[in-house]
Amino acid sequence: MKQWISTISLGAVIAIASIYWVVDESQSQTVVSPNQKSVKYVNSGTDYEGVPQSVELSYIFTSTRPPCTECSHSDSGLHHKYQCQQHNIKRGNKYRGIEVGENRWIKMACEEAHQSVKEGGGPFGAVVVQIDDASNQVIRFWRCRNQVTKNIDPTAHAEVSAIRTVASELGVFDLGNIRRDDPRLKLAQPDETSHCEIYSSCEPCPMCYAAIRWARIDTIVFSATRFDAAEPGVDFSDLDLYQELATPYQDRVSNGLRVYQATTTNSLDAFNLWKNIDKVMY
């Protein structure tokens, strides 16, 4: 009887372990997280090809897709007002030296953005890839999309949503140096260290860029530019935010946000306590 129970227990352990580790190198396996809040994909054994190769694009990438013909506007006049783009908008010298081709991950991020629009969400998607440092193989990856309208959360951009999901499921907040000996790590990894890279369908806004930096992710690959996002009919311009961040506080009132710095007797209490206690740095 004990041997029979042990056999069942061993089988259960193997079955559970197989949820997180895929032997077949040619396929990715969909994994529903224990908290049922997200879906990730395990792709063990596949080499990570890295960031796409640099390309000479004469500064403007021309799409190979035919002109857009789909339109569901109730006002037919809007179809002519909002013409579909055939190339990325790149102003100034902002993108010189960083232009690269495509790979499966950036295409996947753009697919997430497209599917999000079809399902009533915002036109943004992101993919986070966890890579084993020793073997340069993909351990797992997450596909995420903009969740602002779904979650009624103005901060739930695709990149922020992705970082929240990945950090929560891995159990760590440093996604640039994931260590197997970290007692907080929830998911298995084959070697001592791994790291994450992020692919975004569009150039991250200042909030998402900051979130990526705070997560210690050291590689961002994006497709559409901030200028594409600001086009009429898309109307997700954050150009004023970039300008505002470079403006002294006293000059920002014209943008509708009033900012004040208050001098209080307990202003530095939290920082002084932080300096003098044992703590978890992040």
Side-chain angles (χ1 to χ4, degrees):
M1 181 66 175
K2 290 183 178 179
Q3 183 177 3
W4 180 71
I5 293 175
S6 298
T7 302
I8 293 177
S9 299
L10 178 60
V13 170
I14 293 173
I16 293 172
S18 67
I19 292 176
Y20 288 102
W21 215 249
V22 179
V23 177
D24 185 356
E25 296 184 0
S26 65
Q27 296 182 351
S28 299
Q29 179 176 338
T30 303
V31 180
V32 179
S33 303
N35 58 17
Q36 299 294 316
K37 291 182 179 179
S38 64
V39 176
K40 60 178 168 292
Y41 303 81
V42 180
N43 200 24
S44 176
T46 300
D47 288 336
Y48 177 63
E49 65 273 39
V51 174
Q53 294 293 316
S54 297
V55 291
E56 295 291 338
L57 296 180
S58 300
Y59 205 51
I60 291 183
F61 170 70
T62 301
S63 174
T64 57
R65 295 182 181 275
C68 176
T69 57
E70 298 179 5
C71 183
S72 60
H73 283 299
S74 56
D75 182 353
S76 59
L78 294 178
H79 179 65
H80 300 286
K81 180 179 179 180
Y82 301 134
Q83 294 294 315
C84 290
Q85 289 178 234
Q86 295 302 303
H87 61 78
N88 295 122
I89 301 172
K90 302 179 181 182
R91 294 176 181 156
N93 297 318
K94 297 183 184 299
Y95 307 102
R96 287 193 184 277
I98 68 166
E99 293 169 308
V100 297
E102 63 180 27
N103 63 12
R104 63 176 295 196
W105 308 110
I106 191 61
K107 293 184 71 173
M108 191 182 294
C110 293
E111 289 166 1
E112 281 296 306
H114 192 243
Q115 189 62 32
S116 178
V117 175
K118 286 185 174 181
E119 296 179 9
F124 303 96
V127 173
V128 175
V129 187
Q130 184 186 5
I131 305 144
D132 180 65
D133 290 338
S135 65
N136 197 45
Q137 291 186 338
V138 176
I139 300 174
R140 56 182 64 85
F141 61 95
W142 292 258
R143 300 177 64 141
C144 300
R145 60 185 63 164
N146 185 283
Q147 302 285 322
V148 171
T149 56
K150 178 181 178 181
N151 294 347
I152 319 298
D153 180 355
T155 68
H157 291 196
E159 298 93 333
V160 170
S161 296
I163 290 169
R164 287 172 177 169
T165 298
V166 174
S168 175
E169 294 188 0
L170 287 175
V172 297
F173 38 73
D174 185 344
L175 302 183
N177 182 30
I178 305 165
R179 302 189 61 82
R180 187 169 60 184
D181 60 3
D182 189 332
R184 296 165 298 190
L185 187 62
K186 297 178 181 179
L187 302 181
Q189 62 183 41
D191 292 300
E192 182 61 28
T193 61
S194 68
H195 70 282
C196 290
E197 297 184 4
I198 189 166
Y199 289 80
S200 176
S201 65
C202 184
E203 183 175 355
C205 72
M207 177 184 70
C208 292
Y209 185 88
I212 292 167
R213 290 298 305 273
W214 279 114
R216 304 294 192 265
I217 296 174
D218 65 4
T219 300
I220 309 170
V221 180
F222 63 84
S223 185
T225 70
R226 68 178 79 164
F227 303 105
D228 297 327
E231 277 292 278
V234 184
D235 299 319
F236 285 102
S237 177
D238 53 15
L239 302 181
D240 59 333
L241 289 178
Y242 287 97
Q243 182 178 3
E244 184 175 328
L245 290 172
T247 303
Y249 281 115
Q250 67 269 23
D251 298 330
R252 296 185 188 183
V253 66
S254 61
N255 295 322
L257 177 66
R258 296 180 296 173
V259 181
Y260 303 95
Q261 189 273 319
T263 301
T264 61
T265 57
N266 60 348
S267 174
L268 301 175
D269 287 359
F271 287 162
N272 289 331
L273 178 60
W274 180 261
K275 292 177 183 178
N276 293 287
I277 63 170
D278 294 329
K279 51 189 170 280
V280 177
M281 295 300 297
Y282 60 91

